């Protein structure tokens, strides 16, 4: 049963118990809230004032009830406003817990004696008794008042202490009343629910079904008797039949007592769950950052004694691309599968935690040598290399690991966590899907990375970015057919390598505004070239996550007044890694405008051929890594031959990158490559130098002369 269901059942049971008690007493009864609104009443109360059953309702104001009463002939000789003012003054003056009595005249000349007492939980509890005959018969008046007082004591105890399970005992330890939840909680047989049942009989039954304080039945009964004898409020939590029961003891003035009993099993479970969630990740149920850091702090004492422990910081490779392109639902499944694989590499004494996003941490304790940490890291990297099958899609997610080993790399939590993070950054910078130990000097590398990020944020504003242009030679045309725009950054008296700042720009999202600037600048420059020369611009996968990439391209072409067919956009296989519908849609929209789409660095990814089926590229650029060994390795020659043949059969032109020797040129020409690019023909040029080249007769290069 859920906690809210238990609460609802408790409320219904309480109402039934209270209704029965109210209707059984021989006098009128009502309760006014501290805001003078009607809370409860019984039939005698309505009868005394002539109220019909539907004339009053819960929440009705005292003022409305007074006016209704006056219309029915009650309180003759006193207007409703005056009576209301007098009555509320009496109520407000009596909030100290004392019982205040007064008399009222109602219709028919009957005299009603009212008595009210204030309760912080309820408000004013008011009793109403027709004392008309008692006044005439003074001999019986005192007896009826005493009876009324005794009934009020019992009613006050029931009203003010009622809970989910309720049991009232008199001063002799005999059952006066109990409710159904009480009987259900303790599975009491019907013979123990009868008024007059002795406390010892009930306690003996409870002991027999599993209730005890750890001793004998007599010990348990004596303990309960001791609680009663102290005549003090008390509470106790005990377990019974795998349930947790909260019992509270409330002594009464006449020597009896009321005990309330509440099944708080679900409440305790909910509290335990909340405590668990506070220290565990909701998605993977692994310990979270708070729990990990606290466990780290506890390990500091062992590190100070010289024991070894290792902290591994783990980051999923390419997760952001998957999450952004396939959605958070797939991203969450990747995280869960990754957590299972990581957990499978750990030992029982290790602590694996999810720190947030795609970051995990692993505390290895204890270890004998750094080799143990290396073996675990190697298992992690290998475990994550296998593609994940999620929703029928094969998703490649690698992992990078940074390792700090204490006490050598630090003995405090802050030191080890910081150094493991630095080592992780080093592993990611070395190509990902690997692990790296912390080394002295890594902090300086991180500072350099942060310096690059800070400088990059101001690079466009300061005019530090510029474009260089490298020509591509069309072998059949024997002239420059395309020019690739290459981004350069001049910062702090040096030209920062793209290999340094492009990854930072992609990680921070700065590549989006920078890429937009490159598009506009390249199109504007190309507009001044001969009409048969195209410009090629590289696009980052991050730019495709920007919803208005197509709009940015269209705006750049319009501003430069450049024909779309003269723009060539180069993408890498990583963009198609997640096979995003939005990405493919954007590519088709760009191509429908007339823009050419080229696959850059072909052959370096996992499944290049499958990507050629997902989109009809205009050009394939063969990665320069195949060109280095072209003249010495037969396999490289075979790959080049196959790619060029594939491009021809699919109607795609091909470009060989990194052509630096005449021999390389001759071999790719022989295989029928469309274009070549490399230092054999031209390095990247300044815009003005390139313009002179394109507009001079040197743009026509005598390839036959070079080959002869």
């Amino acid at each position: 049963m859920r906690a809210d269901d238990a609460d609802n059942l408790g409320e219904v049971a309480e109402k039934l118990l209270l209704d029965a008690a109210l209707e059984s007493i021989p006098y009128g009864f009502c309760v006014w809230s501290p805001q003078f609104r009607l809370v409860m009443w019984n039939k005698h109360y309505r009868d005394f004032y002539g109220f019909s059953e539907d004339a009053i309702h819960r929440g009705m104001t005292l003022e409305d009830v007074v006016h209704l009463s006056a219309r029915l002939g009650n309180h003759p000789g006193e207007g409703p406003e005056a009576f209301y003012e007098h009555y509320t003054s009496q109520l407000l003056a009596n909030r100290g817990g004392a019982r205040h009595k007064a008399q009222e005249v109602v219709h028919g000349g009957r005299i009603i004696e009212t008595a009210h007492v204030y309760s912080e939980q309820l408000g004013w509890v008011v009793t109403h008794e027709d004392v008309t005959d008692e006044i005439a018969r003074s001999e019986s008046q005192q007896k009826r008042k005493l009876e009324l007082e005794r009934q009020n004591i019992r009613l006050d105890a029931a009203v003010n202490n009622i809970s989910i399970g309720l049991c009232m005992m008199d001063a002799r330890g005999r059952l006066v009343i109990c409710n159904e939840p009480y009987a259900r909680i303790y599975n009491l047989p019907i013979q123990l629910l009868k008024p007059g049942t002795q406390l010892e009989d009930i306690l003996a039954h409870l002991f027999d079904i599993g209730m005890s304080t750890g001793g004998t039945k007599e010990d348990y009964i004596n303990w309960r008797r001791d609680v009663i004898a102290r005549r003090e409020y008390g509470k106790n939590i005990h377990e019974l039949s795998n349930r947790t029961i909260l019992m509270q003891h409330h002594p009464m003035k006449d020597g009896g007592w009321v005990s309330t009993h509440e099944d708080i099993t679900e409440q305790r479970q909910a509290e335990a769950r909340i405590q668990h969630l506070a220290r565990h990740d909701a998605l993977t149920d692994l310990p979270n950052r708070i729990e990990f850091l606290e466990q780290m702090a506890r390990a500091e004492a062992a590190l100070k004694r010289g024991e070894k422990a290792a902290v591994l910081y783990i980051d999923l490779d390419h997760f952001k691309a998957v999450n952004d392109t396939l959605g958070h639902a797939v991203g969450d499944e990747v995280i869960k599968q990754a957590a299972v694989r990581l957990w499978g590499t750990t030992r029982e004494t290790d602590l694996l935690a999810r720190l947030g996003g795609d970051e995990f941490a692993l505390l290895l304790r204890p270890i004998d040598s750094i080799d143990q940490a290396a073996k675990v890291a190697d298992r992690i990297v290998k475990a994550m290399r296998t593609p994940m099958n999620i929703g029928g899609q094969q998703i490649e997610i690698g992992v990078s690991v940074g390792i700090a080993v204490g006490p050598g790399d630090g003995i405090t939590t802050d030191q080890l966590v910081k150094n493991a993070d630095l080592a992780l950054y080093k592993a990611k910078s070395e190509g990902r899907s690997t692990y790296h130990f912390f080394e002295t000097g890594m902090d300086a590398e991180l500072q350099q990375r942060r310096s690059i990020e800070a400088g990059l944020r101001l690079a466009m504003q300061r005019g530090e970015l510029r474009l260089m242009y490298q020509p591509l030679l069309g072998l059949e045309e024997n002239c420059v057919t395309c020019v690739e725009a290459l981004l350069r950054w001049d910062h702090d008296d040096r030209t920062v390598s793209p290999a340094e700042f492009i990854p930072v720009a992609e990680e921070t999202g700065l590549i989006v505004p920078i890429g937009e600037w490159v598009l506009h600048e390249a199109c504007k420059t190309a507009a001044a070239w001969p009409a048969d020369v195209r410009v090629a611009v590289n696009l980052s996968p991050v730019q495709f996550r920007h919803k208005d990439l197509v709009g940015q391209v269209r705006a750049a072409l319009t501003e430069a007044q450049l024909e779309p067919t003269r723009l060539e956009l180069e993408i890498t296989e990583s963009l198609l890694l997640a096979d995003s519908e939005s990405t493919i849609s954007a590519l088709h929209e760009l191509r429908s405008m007339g823009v050419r789409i080229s696959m850059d660095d072909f052959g370096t990814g996992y499944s290049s051929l499958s990507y050629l089926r997902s989109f009809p590229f205009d050009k394939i650029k063969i990665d320069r890594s195949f060109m280095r060994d072209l003249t010495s390795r037969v396999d490289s020659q075979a790959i080049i031959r196959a790619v060029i043949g594939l491009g021809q059969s699919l109607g795609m032109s091909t470009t060989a990158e990194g052509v630096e020797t005449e021999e390389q040129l001759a071999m790719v020409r022989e295989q029928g490559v469309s274009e070549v690019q490399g230092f054999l023909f031209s390095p990247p040029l300044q815009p003005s130098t390139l313009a002179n080249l394109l507009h001079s007769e040197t743009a026509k290069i005598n390839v036959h002369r070079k080959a002869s």
Side-chain angles (χ1 to χ4, degrees), residues 178 354 574:
C178 68
R354 183 190 178 203
S574 60

Side-chain angles (χ1 to χ4, degrees), residues 32 35-38 51 59-71 80-85 87-88 91:
W32 296 103
Q35 294 77 32
F36 298 133
R37 290 187 177 273
L38 189 58
F51 299 145
M60 192 172 181
T61 65
L62 174 58
E63 186 175 8
D64 289 342
V65 173
V66 168
H67 279 80
L68 173 63
S69 179
R71 291 196 297 272
E81 290 81 10
F83 180 85
Y84 175 80
E85 183 69 22
Y87 190 69
T88 54
L91 294 179

